Amino acid sequence: MTARTTSTLKKTLGALTVTAALASPALAGGTKLDIQSAWPLTMPASGANAAYLGEKLNEASGGSLDVTVYGAGKLVPSLQIFDAVQQGTLDAGITSPLYVAGRFPAVQLFGGIPFGPDVLTHTGWLYEGGGAEIWSEIYAEQGVKTIPCGLMDSEAGGWYNFEINSIDDLKGKKIRFAGLAGEAMAKVGASIVLLPGGEIYPGMEKGIIDGTELSMPAIDITLGLQDVGKYYYLPGWHQPAAMNELIINMAKWDSLDESQKTLIEESCKAVNLTSVLSTLTANGDAIATFEEAGVEIKSFPPEVLEGLHAAFDEVIAEQTTKDEDFKRVWDSLEAYRAKTAAWSERR
């Protein structure tokens, strides 16, 4: 090979390298974004949403973003995701606002509301009724960006090894519940026990708890609760709809350009649709499996729901009195429900 040929070849290869780098931004390395889910990536809806989001962001960003998604506990414990994101040791997380309700009581209203609106109205309030803006403002004060990301349909009323025919049947029973619903249950006499998901099955099996709520049938079946629970109550009263969240360290969020921010926000809307649709048939299949296993499917009597509703009203009155942010969020929700009632209550 002559010196002239070698020189020409080097120039050609150099030009091809530059062209390839321009045509495929991924080769130059996109903005790294590590996201940890609070749930296993194999869990229907909640966990699968994180995997779906990462896949879509990598596909649609054209290499502008380099997203890696981790399952529950891979980088930090699930209940520490908010702290890790806040401190910047983790870029982002998909989790539930219910997990930080002890520190910021108001945000649990975004995650799910006992006797609250259905999926459509809840989502409408967030996107059209100002809910998401208040949510963002509360988190921004903590150095965290939040985006609604993981719409969930109604949860089941829970698993019980005793029948609930009156409000008195709940008195003294040890029940795994949390949040505002747990406070309402406590007011009617239940003994509320906080257990992580992995301890629910053995807790029911050994009689440590008499009942538990977890999620919707498609998720409940992943724990095999049909083997340890006698009665399954449908529908749930404590969470007619829920919204999980994508939280991002604010400094990381501010480092992104506008196209990247828009892509993330719009991809989370796609997650919401995919999430709520993905469990419709799975929920029906799960209930059929429960019945085949001998579980008795029951509904809460009106008297029980009335008692729980009255207890929940007491909880709301207490929270709105002592927490300014809680009152702001609750007032926003109630205003939206009033504006849409003429249609939503007739659907």
Side-chain angles (χ1 to χ4, degrees), residues 151 268-278:
L151 181 62
C268 274
K269 291 180 181 177
V271 167
N272 292 338
L273 180 61
T274 299
S275 176
V276 77
L277 294 180
S278 68

Side-chain angles (χ1 to χ4, degrees), residues 88-235:
T89 55
L90 177 64
D91 294 331
I94 285 193
T95 180
S96 168
L98 300 177
Y99 292 169
V100 291
R103 292 161 62 183
F104 316 109
V107 303
Q108 59 195 311
L109 293 171
F110 302 117
I113 307 156
F115 300 103
D118 62 13
V119 165
L120 186 58
T121 305
H122 186 89
T123 309
W125 166 55
L126 291 176
Y127 285 112
E128 302 294 333
E133 284 83 355
I134 302 175
W135 193 356
S136 291
E137 289 168 9
I138 293 172
Y139 273 45
E141 294 177 359
Q142 307 302 320
V144 175
K145 170 66 178 177
T146 184
I147 302 169
C149 202
L151 181 62
M152 306 285 285
D153 206 347
S154 176
E155 291 198 348
W159 298 86
Y160 303 89
N161 283 326
F162 63 97
E163 289 190 70
I164 305 172
N165 296 313
S166 74
I167 202 73
D168 289 338
D169 290 330
L170 294 169
K171 291 182 178 179
K173 295 297 193 297
K174 301 183 296 296
I175 303 175
R176 188 255 188 195
F177 247 84
L180 298 171
E183 293 182 43
M185 292 280 273
K187 282 187 176 294
V188 299
S191 176
I192 300 304
V193 180
L194 297 178
L195 288 179
E199 295 180 23
I200 293 176
Y201 186 102
M204 288 284 284
E205 185 179 37
K206 298 174 183 177
I208 297 171
I209 53 176
D210 302 304
T212 182
E213 67 83 29
L214 179 62
S215 186
M216 61 182 65
I219 292 177
D220 288 1
I221 198 170
T222 64
L223 292 190
L225 295 177
Q226 68 273 18
D227 296 330
V228 292
K230 295 180 181 178
Y231 305 102
Y232 194 50
Y233 278 77
L234 297 171

Side-chain angles (χ1 to χ4, degrees), residues 16 19 21 49 68 102 112 128 138 170 180 183 197 228 239 241 262 287 321 343:
L16 288 173
T19 301
N49 289 342
T68 303
E128 302 294 333
I138 293 172
L170 294 169
L180 298 171
E183 293 182 43
V228 292
Q239 200 164 288
T262 298
I287 292 171
T321 298
W343 170 247

Side-chain angles (χ1 to χ4, degrees), residues 1-9:
M1 185 178 292
T2 66
R4 181 177 180 181
T5 301
T6 301
S7 175
T8 301
L9 181 59

Side-chain angles (χ1 to χ4, degrees), residues 12 55 103 116 126 162 169 247 259 280 296 298 300 322:
T12 301
E55 176 186 333
R103 292 161 62 183
L126 291 176
F162 63 97
D169 290 330
I247 55 173
S259 65
L280 289 175
E296 188 172 343
K298 299 183 72 68
F300 293 109
K322 67 183 181 182

